[in-house]
Amino acid sequence: MSRPTILRVPPISPQLHDAVGERYDALDLPDEGRDRFLAEHGADVVGIVCSNVGSVDADLIASLPRLGVIANHGVGYDNIDVPAALERGIAVSNTPDVLDDAVAETALALLLAVRRQVVAADRFVREGRWLEGGFPLTGQVAGSRVGILGLGRIGRALATRLEACGCTVSYHNRHRLPDVPYSYAASPVELAAGVDSLVVVVPGGAGTAALVDGAVLDALGPDGVLVNIARGSVVDEAALVAALQEGRLGGAGLDVYADEPRVPAELTALDTVVLLPHVGSGTHVTRAAMRRLTLDNLASWLADGTLRTPIPELATRDGDA
């Protein structure tokens, strides 16, 4: 009996790549010659496995007449043209919950690194400058006010950690949440104006593009710190660079960028910025859990047409949420 044909859309991890190949007849979407490849193989494909940076656009979806499921390795799925998929009745899954702790930990690490100038202090020691005198005093996270822009699963995991540091937490969502003890701000600007640091945790996509703009950065102010572990598109990167260069913003901790993996030279030149290469969920434990959930979603759909973790749009459409 032939095995289902699954299309792997790069980039995906070697472990996930190999696991899909062990279970199914797997194909890799090439960078070049895609039209010829899809004309030859597209009719065989019943499922896609991708990461949250591998583009699954409307043209790709349209070229796969038997496509029934897209299993996304990541909680974010703005890489997928969801309306095009749902219009065709294609199931879409993601990997929520299993990466909350790792991403929240990354956000806290960035906040601590910027406020305590950890990276600059490391360079200070390595370059022998300690012999010339002590390192300047820094800011502090404990006892400070931190705003969370997007109090979902990851945002709540971060809030718990911030509370343990003695921080006062507030948040902004599209709607006030009834079951949280944190103060609610009616807009991103209002949230930024009332905190010392702002952490961005909202999903990417058209609805949140440049949500953190110049007005938000100015409200955060010259002593403020911005941390972004969401998507680069959520922050107006040009406005961020200008605010940092002009001293209108105190610092930033970034794991995501507008045009990854390209990072503006203006950001790499600033000691007030700590930069990570989009590794928010990048722990062995978390990536293994994400991989298992991706494979479980794919296997479940192939077995009986259900998903372990359908994206919210799909769950709502099907009456499950």
Side-chain angles (χ1 to χ4, degrees), residues 135-205:
F135 191 74
L137 299 179
T138 71
Q140 182 169 301
V141 172
S144 67
R145 303 168 301 165
V146 182
I148 300 176
L149 186 57
L151 197 69
R153 296 180 180 93
I154 296 170
R156 293 190 193 209
L158 173 61
T160 300
R161 288 158 174 76
L162 291 169
E163 286 185 290
C165 294
C167 297
T168 300
V169 177
S170 54
Y171 76 99
H172 170 73
N173 279 18
R174 284 178 295 177
H175 306 289
R176 185 193 300 266
L177 300 174
D179 57 343
V180 298
Y182 314 119
S183 297
Y184 175 74
S187 70
V189 169
E190 180 181 314
L191 179 63
V195 298
D196 304 303
S197 304
L198 180 66
V199 183
V200 184
V201 200
V202 297

Side-chain angles (χ1 to χ4, degrees), residues 6-248:
I6 306 300
L7 181 65
R8 297 174 294 208
V9 176
I12 62 175
S13 71
Q15 296 89 341
L16 181 58
H17 179 279
D18 292 347
V20 173
E22 290 168 3
R23 292 163 173 79
Y24 307 105
D25 286 339
L27 301 170
D28 295 302
L29 184 66
D31 290 330
E32 298 181 359
R34 287 193 176 190
D35 290 344
R36 184 172 63 255
F37 172 86
L38 291 169
E40 183 177 352
H41 301 289
D44 299 324
V45 172
V46 298
I48 283 177
V49 170
C50 59
S51 73
N52 57 8
V53 292
S55 177
V56 180
D57 58 23
D59 289 341
L60 177 58
I61 291 170
S63 69
L64 305 172
R66 296 179 58 206
L67 181 64
V69 62
I70 302 170
N72 191 57
H73 183 262
V75 66
Y77 47 90
D78 49 306
N79 56 305
I80 299 170
D81 191 325
V82 171
L86 297 187
E87 184 178 355
R88 281 262 310 272
I90 296 166
V92 183
S93 66
N94 63 340
T95 58
D97 299 320
V98 296
L99 47 66
D100 298 351
D101 288 337
V103 178
E105 189 173 88
T106 300
L108 182 58
L110 279 169
L111 179 58
L112 287 164
V114 176
R115 280 288 177 203
R116 297 305 307 269
Q117 298 181 36
V118 172
V119 177
D122 176 84
R123 286 198 298 269
F124 183 83
V125 174
R126 292 175 187 274
E127 295 170 1
R129 285 182 284 153
W130 196 8
L131 297 170
E132 304 167 5
F135 191 74
L137 299 179
T138 71
Q140 182 169 301
V141 172
S144 67
R145 303 168 301 165
V146 182
I148 300 176
L149 186 57
L151 197 69
R153 296 180 180 93
I154 296 170
R156 293 190 193 209
L158 173 61
T160 300
R161 288 158 174 76
L162 291 169
E163 286 185 290
C165 294
C167 297
T168 300
V169 177
S170 54
Y171 76 99
H172 170 73
N173 279 18
R174 284 178 295 177
H175 306 289
R176 185 193 300 266
L177 300 174
D179 57 343
V180 298
Y182 314 119
S183 297
Y184 175 74
S187 70
V189 169
E190 180 181 314
L191 179 63
V195 298
D196 304 303
S197 304
L198 180 66
V199 183
V200 184
V201 200
V202 297
T208 58
L211 183 64
V212 177
D213 57 12
V216 174
L217 299 173
D218 285 341
L220 194 52
D223 296 321
V225 166
L226 176 77
V227 172
N228 187 11
I229 46 83
R231 286 289 184 272
S233 61
V234 177
V235 176
D236 183 333
E237 198 165 78
L240 174 62
V241 168
L244 289 164
Q245 289 179 326
E246 296 166 13
R248 292 183 287 109

Side-chain angles (χ1 to χ4, degrees), residues 270-304:
L270 293 169
D271 276 342
T272 54
V273 180
V274 176
L275 306 169
L276 297 181
H278 201 155
V279 292
S281 64
T283 71
H284 293 294
V285 170
T286 295
R287 291 292 171 85
M290 292 168 63
R291 187 164 60 250
R292 286 193 299 270
L293 186 51
T294 302
L295 294 169
D296 286 349
N297 273 305
L298 182 58
S300 179
W301 184 86
L302 290 168
D304 60 20

